[in-house]
Amino acid sequence: MKKIIMALIIGFSGMLYAQNKISGAVTNGNQLPLKGVSVYLPELHKSTTTDDNGQYAINNLPDGNLKISFSFVGYVTQNQTLKPQEKETVLNIILPQTAFQMDEIVVSTAFNKLQSQNVMKVEHESIKSLRQKGSSTLIEGLATIPGVAQISTGTSIGKPVIRGLSANRVLVYSQGVRLENQQFGDEHGLGLNDAGVESVEVIKGPASLLYGSDAIGGVLYFNPEKFAEANTFKGDFRQRFFSNTLGSSSSLGLKTSSENWKFMVRGTYDMHSDYKIALPIRSSPSGPDGDRVTNTRYNEKDFKAGIGYSNSDFSSVLRYNYNNLDLGIPENGIAEQSESKKTLYPKQGIFNHLLSLNNSFFFKNSTLDANIGYIANDRSEFEDSDVASLHMKLQTLNYDLKYHFPKIGNMETILGIQGMHQTNKNSGEEYLIPDAATNDFGVFGTSVYNWGKNSFQAGLRYDNRNVSSESHGTLGEEGSFEALDKSFDSFNASLGYKRNFAENLTLRLNLASGFRAPTLAELTSNGVHEGTNRYEIGNNNLNTEQNFQTDINLEYNNSHFEFFVNGFYNHVNNYIYIAPSGEVRDENDVYDYVQNDAKLFGGEIGLHFHPHPLDWLHFETSFETVTGEKQNGDYLPLIPANNWNNTLRGEFDIKNWLSDGFATLNISHTFNQDNVSGFETKSNDYTLVNLGLGGKIKLGKKAFEFNMNANNLFDKSYVAHLSRLKTDGIPNIGRNIVLGVNFGI
């Protein structure tokens, strides 16, 4: 404890200087030096690149064990664990060539291993690759990952779905902090901008062992962009244009680092008009080019900043994210036609502040991670004037402590404590949920043991959640609530096994339980929720959802072929859902929150083929499916339709002016969804064709990246099953041409 206190007091003064250093050379299989290889230490948020001779050096390293990663496009990523001494450590690395994407360090599963070394299967996708697909929003890009979908309200509002589970059953982490933004609401989107985000990791399945309540369906873990390399200054300006929504996204980022200090700042502004459907569904002033869906327009301002410091004793990073959303809520379908970006009523105004402090303290043979986060979510809904009819302020304080014990032989162990204090306050005339306070506390331990070609991981966790709310209104009237004081407890465990049967064949088997305490809306609702046309009544006798999932993953890869198959079976006790009661109030059907056991099952299968000698050609295909059923055999709501996705990608360089060039043809077929719940409608199948082109253009000593996409190339009219505009027969977005450029400063 004394060491921690001293580090906090004098660390930021810059007075601690370490002597430890690591250096070496990075070469290819022919012993030729590789220039531009990224060398990264995730615990220190510290990086550098190799010079013309393949040499690198990093100073001021702690004594304890550190992960170090060497990555370069077209080569196999190498991840090493090193223990610097009070002198220079020399580490030379050979990177074999590969035709496939780089193996990445996964930080969402506690042990910071490469995905190829991880016991749990985790999907990793860079935001750059999502942008190359022409995604208009972050959630739209995420929906291209197998096993991930979105519940959408136009182009502006999207909620993530992982293997059929969504809303409070999927946790979102940003800057190492649990993101809370009233995600129970149907029209409450992700609330994140992709600017300033490096990559996303997707855990598909219960992750309550590491994250507590609400991770019953999975986790989306967003990694912020890295700081600049030591002793460098970098800047970039990114601009994207969207033809369908007449939209624009502008982002400017600056960052610099010294040997110990790191700074970064980024500002982004997005604006979009109403989206245009493929074909007109009635005669309108817009003529034969299609109609715009009224009030799907939105504007977004995003600001991110970060400061970091590291030395031989500790690493600390302070980040701040401000996000302001001005969202139109489509209520009248296709009505007034306009290209304006000024939102109409009804609309939402959302102000979100996220402050995170991530610390790592290095001892001789162990590490303590101490993270704290604060989120202030201010959400207003305006029906017909600038006076908010609904105004909710949600404040959340998170803390997360993890102690990495000294490694014993081949075993690594982590013990952790997590907690949350949350308050919700209403100041508008309408109440969706009462004023309330939520307190979480959890403690867990997990270990991984490696022997030969086998890895075994196990963990155990205990959680308590207390929810207390205030009474409001006159009982029996809409918007009234009784006082509530409920406590929920849960024990959860996980067990995982990985075996490398051969150099290229890997099997993963994971068994895990998870839990979710009922939300305030499920416990207390009493009124019409806008956009649902339902009068919803909560149930304060609801029990905790408890699930158990079996997940199996088989992967095979060599230099020209990759294949994977994932299968899962997820049983959920006390699954919470709404069901019609047969009663009518205020001309709206009444729905009650009830519980029933449920099951979800399905998986993903895919391959990536890189034929020899056509080294420039790649073919990828994947199929995903999920089925959700209640115990009585009825289907669960909001289950995505099956999807078959195919991509043909060519990579090329043109003399000295174009490098890293690519051209893609994507054909995505979504099957009809006939397995629907009682208040859902079925949906038809459809096929979308998308094109992409991009690369880096060199103009003398300057260079810029560009990509151009044509999504829904043939202007197909379709209605996605998880679109909330489906009940009104309103199609999804038509053809959208996206042009993006990125200039270094």
Side-chain angles (χ1 to χ4, degrees), residues 251-424:
S251 182
L252 175 65
L254 302 170
K255 53 187 177 181
T256 185
S257 295
S258 66
E259 198 64 49
N260 297 93
W261 289 94
K262 313 167 189 69
F263 304 91
M264 64 84 63
V265 63
R266 179 173 295 280
T268 305
Y269 181 63
D270 294 358
M271 54 182 179
H272 293 264
S273 302
D274 298 337
Y275 81 84
K276 183 187 291 186
I277 64 174
L279 296 171
I281 60 175
R282 61 164 180 76
S283 176
S284 76
S286 67
D289 294 330
D291 290 298
R292 295 190 181 276
V293 182
T294 306
N295 211 27
T296 54
R297 64 198 72 170
Y298 68 98
N299 302 280
E300 181 177 15
K301 301 173 185 176
D302 189 82
F303 174 78
K304 293 182 174 74
I307 178 172
Y309 180 85
S310 62
N311 59 30
S312 61
D313 292 307
F314 79 105
S315 171
S316 184
V317 175
L318 177 68
R319 293 184 186 266
Y320 170 70
N321 180 203
Y322 166 77
N323 186 268
N324 171 219
L325 278 166
D326 174 29
L327 296 171
I329 299 178
E331 236 185 24
N332 299 315
I334 298 174
E336 174 189 341
Q337 295 294 291
S338 171
E339 295 179 352
S340 172
K341 296 175 176 61
K342 180 177 174 59
T343 53
L344 304 174
Y345 300 111
K347 63 180 181 179
Q348 289 186 39
I350 305 166
F351 300 87
N352 199 74
H353 302 267
L354 171 58
L355 188 66
S356 64
L357 179 62
N358 308 109
N359 305 286
S360 293
F361 301 96
F362 304 109
F363 307 104
K364 186 174 183 180
N365 295 305
S366 60
T367 305
L368 174 67
D369 295 330
N371 301 324
I372 188 168
Y374 172 74
I375 306 103
N377 181 258
D378 188 311
R379 182 182 296 272
S380 299
E381 185 171 307
F382 306 91
E383 292 184 355
D384 52 17
S385 72
D386 287 334
V387 178
S389 57
L390 175 72
H391 190 188
M392 298 186 294
K393 293 184 178 180
L394 187 72
Q395 298 186 74
T396 307
L397 180 68
N398 294 310
Y399 61 88
D400 185 351
L401 300 174
K402 294 189 184 75
Y403 182 68
H404 300 249
F405 284 86
K407 189 174 181 180
I408 302 176
N410 294 322
M411 186 171 72
E412 299 176 66
T413 300
I414 294 176
L415 183 65
I417 296 174
Q418 291 174 335
M420 178 182 78
H421 174 69
Q422 183 179 90
T423 59
N424 181 75

Side-chain angles (χ1 to χ4, degrees), residues 456-565:
F456 179 83
Q457 185 172 332
L460 184 66
R461 178 176 180 124
Y462 166 76
D463 282 277
N464 172 264
R465 167 169 287 188
N466 179 264
V467 181
S468 59
S469 67
E470 300 176 9
S471 62
H472 175 262
T474 303
L475 293 182
E477 296 183 358
E478 181 179 352
S480 64
F481 308 98
E482 293 185 60
L484 180 75
D485 190 358
K486 301 277 289 186
S487 186
F488 304 93
D489 298 277
S490 182
F491 283 94
N492 290 282
S494 70
L495 189 64
Y497 173 71
K498 180 178 79 77
R499 178 174 174 81
N500 298 324
F501 286 102
E503 182 180 355
N504 301 321
L505 182 63
T506 302
L507 171 72
R508 293 180 177 89
L509 176 64
N510 283 273
L511 311 174
S513 66
F515 85 105
R516 182 181 75 89
T519 67
L520 272 174
E522 293 164 342
L523 292 167
T524 64
S525 283
N526 182 28
V528 178
H529 284 211
E530 296 298 328
T532 64
N533 297 319
R534 299 192 301 261
Y535 192 109
E536 298 180 7
I537 298 179
N539 181 356
N540 60 14
N541 293 316
L542 293 174
N543 296 315
T544 297
E545 288 185 347
Q546 192 79 41
N547 78 324
F548 183 82
Q549 178 167 310
T550 302
D551 198 301
I552 188 168
N553 163 249
L554 184 67
E555 292 179 339
Y556 175 81
N557 64 80
N558 58 34
S559 58
H560 298 286
F561 183 79
E562 280 186 339
F563 173 80
F564 72 87
V565 57

